[in-house]
Amino acid sequence: MEAGLRGQIEMWKYMLSFADSMALRCAVELRIPDIIHSHGGPITLSQMVSNFHDSTSPDITCLARIMRLLVRKKIFTAHHQSDGGETLYGLTDSSRWLLHDSELTLAPMFLMETHPWQMSPWHFLSHCVKEGGIAFKKAHGREIWEFAAENPGFNKLFNDGMQCTSRVVLTTIISQYKNGFDNIGSLVDVGGGTGGGISEIVKSYPHIKGINFDLPHVISTAPMYHGVSHIGGDMFETIPNADALMMKWILHDWSDEDCVKILKNCKKAIPEKSGKIVIVEVVLEPEGNDAFDEIGLALDLVMIAHTSGGRERTQIEWKKILKQGGFNRCNIIKIPALPSIIEAFPE
């Protein structure tokens, strides 16, 4: 193929790549993966729409066109029956991650990231380049944490998204971080949301006293978990004392300067000789060939769109802020997940 034509095709793909996300969001909102799963196998479009309990006049032709694209993208399978009957649609390894009722699901995160509240800041990236500032604030008039505190609907959307990704990542951490929690008597999950993460660790390590620490408006909606206590507060002011701390996708929300402030408070909260922090974050490899490396670069742009100066960091950048925060030694442990484990020690 001639190079210029290939380039044109690539631009059309990028121009319309949002259609993939929106078609998939539609399928998640309609709970199509759940409907197929509950049926026990592939089903027809007619069977799908019969499960839309709040729909009086579904448009099967519209659904067929959406499913046609998602089949092409290998999100669903399509089996055309030899007798000319209706096409049967089934799940794939990809769409199984969008089951709402599965213990491990990315459906709430997908709905959060593609919601209009979260999409509108992306339209301000060029403004951020030209004049600086915070994309989310340009879109909504306030920063994301203020917006969440004032808007219960967004607060729930955000917390549900964070909790589902936390569960996915923690399942991997618990299986891969061998003996990492063995000698810890108490563990604070700093910025732990509604507590789902720390509760999973306590289930696997019942000797640990779990403390879930987050902003008061987040803690106010947190359910009770066995072995976990909830404490509301501000990590920029003080962090509850414990043998060890965990921060999962927290520091990437903040600038280097803010991260150093948080890390200094972390250092005050743990024993000087035996304490440690377990940081779960992306370690960028801009030239890397790992399956998650390109996703890390995309997530770095999410930080521009949604945070107040946050960013994903390379190994060199992580070591720099850790040292400035009082943590001179660290181990980076790769796991089969988007983030890595960064153990940091104050000695």
Side-chain angles (χ1 to χ4, degrees):
M1 184 186 296
E2 186 263 325
L5 180 58
R6 190 182 305 116
Q8 181 192 156
I9 292 168
E10 285 299 303
M11 286 307 99
W12 279 107
K13 285 181 178 178
Y14 285 120
M15 189 193 312
L16 297 173
S17 61
F18 72 91
D20 300 342
S21 298
M22 292 300 101
L24 193 47
R25 177 182 173 86
C26 170
V28 176
E29 287 181 320
L30 294 172
R31 292 185 172 250
I32 287 172
D34 300 274
I35 291 170
I36 296 173
H37 180 70
S38 64
H39 188 268
I43 61 174
T44 66
L45 295 176
S46 300
Q47 289 171 313
M48 282 184 206
V49 299
S50 70
N51 284 272
F52 298 169
H53 301 301
D54 56 350
S55 176
T56 53
S57 54
D59 186 335
I60 291 186
T61 302
C62 179
L63 178 59
R65 292 160 68 184
I66 291 166
M67 292 298 289
R68 180 171 60 188
L69 175 64
L70 295 177
V71 168
R72 173 79 182 211
K73 294 294 179 177
K74 296 182 170 54
I75 305 297
F76 296 99
T77 62
H79 175 66
H80 305 288
Q81 299 187 68
S82 57
D83 61 0
E86 285 192 70
T87 299
L88 294 168
Y89 295 89
L91 298 176
T92 65
D93 289 339
S94 299
S95 46
R96 289 183 191 282
W97 281 98
L98 298 174
L99 295 168
H100 283 82
D101 298 327
S102 175
E103 186 174 341
L104 297 180
T105 177
L106 289 173
M109 187 64 166
F110 200 99
L111 292 174
M112 189 266 278
E113 287 293 351
T114 57
H115 192 282
W117 283 325
Q118 294 286 59
M119 295 298 288
S120 56
W122 286 95
H123 293 275
F124 292 86
L125 289 190
S126 60
H127 295 249
C128 292
V129 172
K130 289 192 290 186
E131 62 199 36
I134 297 165
F136 195 94
K137 189 172 184 179
K138 291 176 186 290
H140 296 295
R142 54 187 62 75
E143 295 183 31
I144 190 168
W145 313 118
E146 297 171 299
F147 192 75
E150 297 169 5
N151 185 327
F154 179 76
N155 187 50
K156 184 178 189 315
L157 183 77
F158 185 87
N159 288 337
D160 287 349
M162 292 299 102
Q163 183 164 338
C164 84
T165 51
S166 173
R167 189 178 294 117
V168 169
V169 171
L170 272 169
T171 299
T172 305
I173 290 170
I174 290 168
S175 68
Q176 298 287 321
Y177 189 36
K178 302 299 184 184
N179 307 317
F181 298 109
D182 282 355
N183 299 317
I184 295 173
S186 55
L187 177 67
V188 176
D189 191 358
V190 180
T194 52
I198 187 69
S199 73
E200 293 299 314
I201 292 174
V202 170
K203 276 184 197 173
S204 297
Y205 296 87
H207 68 276
I208 292 178
K209 176 189 175 187
I211 301 162
N212 181 53
F213 178 67
D214 212 311
L215 293 166
H217 76 267
V218 177
I219 294 298
S220 68
T221 65
M224 297 303 298
Y225 295 102
H226 179 72
V228 175
S229 58
H230 298 290
I231 297 178
D234 185 340
M235 64 188 172
F236 286 100
E237 295 175 4
T238 185
I239 292 171
N241 293 335
D243 296 333
L245 310 177
M246 182 171 70
M247 284 189 290
K248 185 173 63 283
W249 275 331
I250 299 299
L251 295 178
H252 76 166
D253 288 333
W254 302 97
S255 67
D256 287 0
E257 182 183 0
D258 284 334
C259 284
V260 171
K261 291 177 186 175
I262 296 166
L263 288 165
K264 286 180 176 178
N265 284 340
C266 288
K267 187 178 180 183
K268 293 175 188 174
I270 58 176
E272 188 173 345
K273 299 293 185 185
S274 60
K276 70 175 177 179
I277 53 175
V278 179
I279 299 167
V280 180
E281 291 277 8
V282 168
V283 178
L284 282 183
E285 297 273 2
E287 307 297 329
N289 295 316
D290 184 85
F292 284 109
D293 285 335
E294 192 170 319
I295 300 172
L297 296 176
L299 195 61
D300 185 44
L301 299 193
V302 174
M303 297 302 103
I304 298 175
H306 294 164
T307 69
S308 308
R311 60 185 302 161
E312 304 301 342
R313 295 175 171 89
T314 64
Q315 181 172 329
I316 292 171
E317 290 168 333
W318 276 117
K319 288 183 175 178
K320 179 183 175 184
I321 63 167
L322 285 167
K323 190 168 186 179
Q324 290 174 344
F327 294 85
N328 294 315
R329 183 167 68 88
C330 72
N331 300 323
I332 295 178
I333 304 167
K334 294 281 288 181
I335 58 175
L338 177 55
S340 296
I341 297 170
I342 307 169
E343 289 182 314
F345 306 89
E347 72 242 26

